[in-house]
Amino acid sequence: QLQLMESGGGSVQAGDSLTLSCEASEYIYGSYCMGWFRQVPGKQREGVAAIESDGSTSYADSVKGRFTISKDNARNTLYLQMNNLKAEDTAKYYCAADFPIRTMCLASRVTSLDTWGQGTLVSVSS
């Protein structure tokens, strides 16, 4: 059974950068969708970014131009590069995956992906 493990969260200042990593327990190949979503306690989960096996990406409007999703196939690891962080980016960030892909691979649909990690906390102070 596929397992995902996030890392890289932490406490930073507004304007700083942070890179989150998500390592998969088994090699992900062929047709897949992977992504990131975030959640603040008491608020709805928000899909942040998604990447499909063909390399196409999708971002939430709130992070477009600041966040970049990528996947290192050799390391079997998903990344989320977060630049110019804002206080409103504070949340617990989760990675998720569909392997094989079952639905449209969009940031708005990341919470519908089949497998989730345990999450990593990001705190941005202004």
Side-chain angles (χ1 to χ4, degrees):
Q1 183 179 354
L2 176 66
Q3 294 182 329
L4 304 172
M5 179 67 72
E6 303 93 337
S7 61
S11 297
V12 296
Q13 299 286 322
D16 285 351
S17 298
L18 205 58
T19 300
L20 305 182
S21 300
C22 172
E23 186 172 356
S25 61
E26 59 184 72
Y27 187 61
I28 294 179
Y29 62 95
S31 179
Y32 62 82
C33 176
M34 297 187 75
W36 295 90
F37 69 91
R38 62 189 181 187
Q39 186 167 28
V40 176
K43 293 191 175 181
Q44 202 168 10
R45 297 184 188 105
E46 178 190 14
V48 173
I51 185 167
E52 195 171 339
S53 43
D54 64 0
S56 57
T57 57
S58 169
Y59 296 94
D61 287 343
S62 58
V63 306
K64 206 170 287 184
R66 299 188 298 121
F67 290 13
T68 303
I69 188 171
S70 63
K71 184 175 180 288
D72 185 330
N73 292 325
R75 296 178 184 270
N76 206 34
T77 300
L78 181 73
Y79 298 99
L80 185 67
Q81 172 69 44
M82 305 184 293
N83 297 329
N84 190 23
L85 282 160
K86 304 176 181 180
E88 51 264 41
D89 294 318
T90 295
K92 192 166 188 179
Y93 285 72
Y94 298 82
C95 75
D98 258 5
F99 172 54
I101 192 170
R102 297 179 299 116
T103 185
M104 293 180 65
C105 194
L106 299 172
S108 59
R109 306 191 65 163
V110 170
T111 55
S112 299
L113 300 184
D114 195 43
T115 302
W116 296 4
Q118 296 298 308
T120 185
L121 280 168
V122 173
S123 177
V124 185
S125 54
S126 55

